Amino acid sequence: MAGGAIAASDGRDYPGKLTFKVFVTCVIAATGGLIFGYDLGISGGVTSMDSFLEKFFPAVYEKETSIRPSENQYCKFDSQTLTLFTSSLYIAALVASIFAATITRHFGRRTTMLWGGILFCVGALVNGFAERVWMLIVGRMFLGFGIGCANQSVPIYVSEMAPYRFRGALNMMFQLAITIGILVANLLNYFFAQIEGGWGWRLSLGGAMVPALIIIAGSFCLADTPNSLIERNHFKEAKEQLVKIRGIPNVDEEFNDLVSASEASKLVKHPWVTIFQRKYRPQLTMAICIPFFQQLTGMNVITFYAPVLFKTIGFGSSASLMSAVITGTVNSLATLVSIFSVDKFGRRTLFLQGGAQMFICQVIITIAIAFKFGTTGNPGELPKWYAYGVVFFICVYVAGFAWSWGPLGWLVPSEIFPLEIRSAAQSINVSVNMIFTFAIAQVFTSMLCHLKFGLFIFFACWVVIMSLFIHKFLPETKGVPIEEMTIVWRNHPYWRKFVSSDGDASGPGGDIQLEKDAVEQKV
Ligand code: BGC
């Protein structure tokens, strides 16, 4: 098999190329990441706009503007209501992703995406016209419901559509869309903040409608995945679809395996219970640990609060927003590196390299901030070269994240779950991601206030732990067809004792193999 050493030993090599159709389909679907990214990027900038703070959070505004240079700078943004504005969305997304599992399983991935777009659109409208804090929070909850639906369905959709040899690169379009969303949001904040009259934040928040309309329009153009069609008994349509997306007339082998996996999955009536069975321990562990660790890299401290962070370390308001644009650009460009290398070097190499890079930068940033800002957060006169130096290492750190934990945090979970638990497991993945996105968003300003320059060391320790985890527990999944992933666990020195003896339902060689004749009769 062309794709990888593991599958080559006992896996299949499905024919089929990367067709134009599948490429365009995956790109359209991946734009679902735009809404998530736009939101991640917009709130930090908006909360650093004075007119916005003055209208909705006057206490924070007063504290920020009246603080004297001799007082502690690390604490000037410490407000739980302000962080609730940012974080409320992620709680809503968590709830939505649990419901989205059922929609995805019974109505297909596409319907879930469509709902994601609609809910997000409503949220953008409510926020754009907000007059009171409660309207902001309600609006953000709608946005959260939208994101929960999109993040639940898009990564699975792309992984199922993609030919397995290009799955990594195509799936990472989702992360690329996230980073583009963040960048566009940062740029718009920069320009809208300069609008006379201080109402630019309305455009920033209401602008979320644009990515929402893109995903709505996109989901009308998309067909559902063959896996999902088979799961809903549309065998004929599924086969036609597979022929179209693989660009070859004979897709029997892959089709039969998909049907086998689907038959096995139908024996599972309660995926939420099944996923706790011993044989799914590796997948469950990854569904929890990968998103947990992704958030503990500390990346979102930069994503949400780069302007606040830069303001804290002495940049002016517009310089802070501009620095966020710079980190946003690095984030997008570095994601491209990952897209072009993930199916070549594999997931593990990127995880470990990115981890090492982030760790080194976090240590340097800590020393640089500690040295100049001390415990008061007051650098006195900060030389320009020093500030640029800090921004430079923040950018190298962002690049490390952008070609490792950023995209892989979505790719790896979406490709390792067998069909029978795929929707439920993806919901766990999204929920854990959202809980910790929420937690970081909620506690960041008070962490900064209490840990001061030590903030980055806290995350650096986690980066060491997660790299060790990857090294010991994550098998390489590059080049393994998605419905054959069971092989990598069977071959893994630690996980093999969980999966080998009690029969795996989903892969060829498992206990439940549909008779090929029966399959053919259905078509
Ligand atoms: C993460 C987000 C993060 C973004 C940054 C995503 O993969 O899930 O939490 O803000 O990457 O690029």
Side-chain angles (χ1 to χ4, degrees), residues 18 22-23 26-27 29-31 33 151 153-178 335 338-339 342-343 347 406-416 426 429 482:
L18 177 60
V22 93
F23 178 75
C26 289
V27 170
T31 57
N151 288 14
S153 49
V154 172
I156 294 186
Y157 181 93
V158 179
S159 281
E160 289 180 346
M161 277 289 185
Y164 67 92
R165 273 178 243 135
F166 303 96
R167 189 179 58 236
L170 289 175
N171 186 289
M172 282 185 175
M173 299 281 175
F174 176 64
Q175 175 71 11
L176 185 66
I178 295 178
T335 307
S338 202
I339 290 182
V342 67
D343 290 315
R347 286 67 167 146
L408 295 171
W410 294 104
L411 167 66
V412 173
S414 78
E415 64 186 8
I416 59 172
Q426 178 68 357
N429 176 39
I482 196 166

Side-chain angles (χ1 to χ4, degrees), residues 36 40 175 179 182 294-295 299-300 303 331 401 406 410 433:
F36 184 35
L40 286 162
Q175 175 71 11
T179 63
I182 297 175
Q294 189 204 50
Q295 291 307 311
M299 173 65 187
N300 276 336
T303 316
N331 195 9
F401 175 88
W410 294 104
N433 197 304

Side-chain angles (χ1 to χ4, degrees), residues 48-317:
S48 77
M49 291 183 196
D50 287 347
S51 54
F52 177 82
L53 285 179
E54 205 179 349
K55 183 169 172 69
F56 294 105
F57 305 96
V60 183
Y61 177 68
E62 207 173 301
K63 190 166 160 196
E64 188 213 357
T65 44
S66 62
I67 197 159
R68 284 191 300 274
S70 57
E71 292 174 66
N72 199 313
Q73 304 294 314
Y74 288 119
C75 299
K76 63 183 174 188
F77 289 101
D78 187 10
S79 152
Q80 293 300 307
T81 344
L82 180 64
T83 45
L84 191 63
F85 163 72
T86 301
S87 59
S88 53
L89 182 153
Y90 302 97
I91 290 296
L94 183 167
V95 176
S97 70
I98 295 170
F99 290 109
T102 313
I103 311 180
T104 311
R105 198 167 190 222
H106 296 292
F107 301 98
R109 285 73 172 123
R110 203 182 68 124
T111 312
T112 321
M113 282 185 228
L114 178 62
W115 272 104
I118 294 172
L119 292 166
F120 199 84
C121 211
V122 174
L125 273 175
V126 176
N127 267 351
F129 289 104
E131 282 301 331
R132 302 253 180 289
V133 175
W134 70 262
M135 287 179 82
L136 286 181
I137 310 269
V138 169
R140 285 191 64 81
M141 301 205 87
F142 272 102
L143 298 177
F145 291 140
I147 288 175
C149 292
N151 288 14
Q152 210 279 340
S153 49
V154 172
I156 294 186
Y157 181 93
V158 179
S159 281
E160 289 180 346
M161 277 289 185
Y164 67 92
R165 273 178 243 135
F166 303 96
R167 189 179 58 236
L170 289 175
N171 186 289
M172 282 185 175
M173 299 281 175
F174 176 64
Q175 175 71 11
L176 185 66
I178 295 178
T179 63
I180 292 174
I182 297 175
L183 178 61
V184 170
N186 290 161
L187 268 170
L188 293 182
N189 273 338
Y190 178 74
F191 290 113
F192 292 156
Q194 297 168 24
I195 291 181
E196 293 281 318
W199 54 276
W201 59 268
R202 288 196 187 277
L203 293 180
S204 295
L205 297 180
M209 280 189 69
V210 177
L213 292 174
I214 295 179
I215 183 174
I216 293 175
S219 50
F220 278 114
C221 313
L222 298 175
D224 234 323
T225 65
N227 318 49
S228 173
L229 290 166
I230 293 171
E231 195 175 30
R232 289 175 289 134
N233 294 329
H234 304 303
F235 294 95
K236 195 162 172 282
E237 227 181 312
K239 193 160 191 182
E240 284 163 10
Q241 172 72 351
L242 197 59
V243 168
K244 272 195 218 148
I245 60 174
R246 296 290 175 256
I248 45 168
N250 188 351
V251 289
D252 286 353
E253 194 180 3
E254 183 173 4
F255 179 76
N256 291 345
D257 282 347
L258 291 182
V259 176
S260 300
S262 170
E263 290 300 317
S265 98
K266 280 186 192 136
L267 298 179
V268 173
K269 293 281 170 277
H270 305 287
W272 287 102
V273 178
T274 310
I275 195 169
F276 290 99
Q277 286 175 10
R278 186 180 155 83
K279 68 176 171 180
Y280 297 117
R281 202 57 47 82
Q283 290 92 341
L284 183 62
T285 308
M286 296 301 156
I288 296 171
C289 290
I290 291 184
F292 168 75
F293 285 141
Q294 189 204 50
Q295 291 307 311
L296 268 284
T297 56
M299 173 65 187
N300 276 336
V301 163
I302 311 283
T303 316
F304 295 136
Y305 298 113
V308 167
L309 199 71
F310 289 126
K311 232 176 169 181
T312 302
I313 65 173
F315 285 34
S317 205

Side-chain angles (χ1 to χ4, degrees), residues 446-463:
S446 97
M447 274 174 90
L448 179 65
C449 180
H450 293 106
L451 295 179
K452 306 183 168 57
F453 55 79
L455 180 70
F456 284 102
I457 282 297
F458 170 79
F459 292 115
C461 295
W462 280 105
V463 169

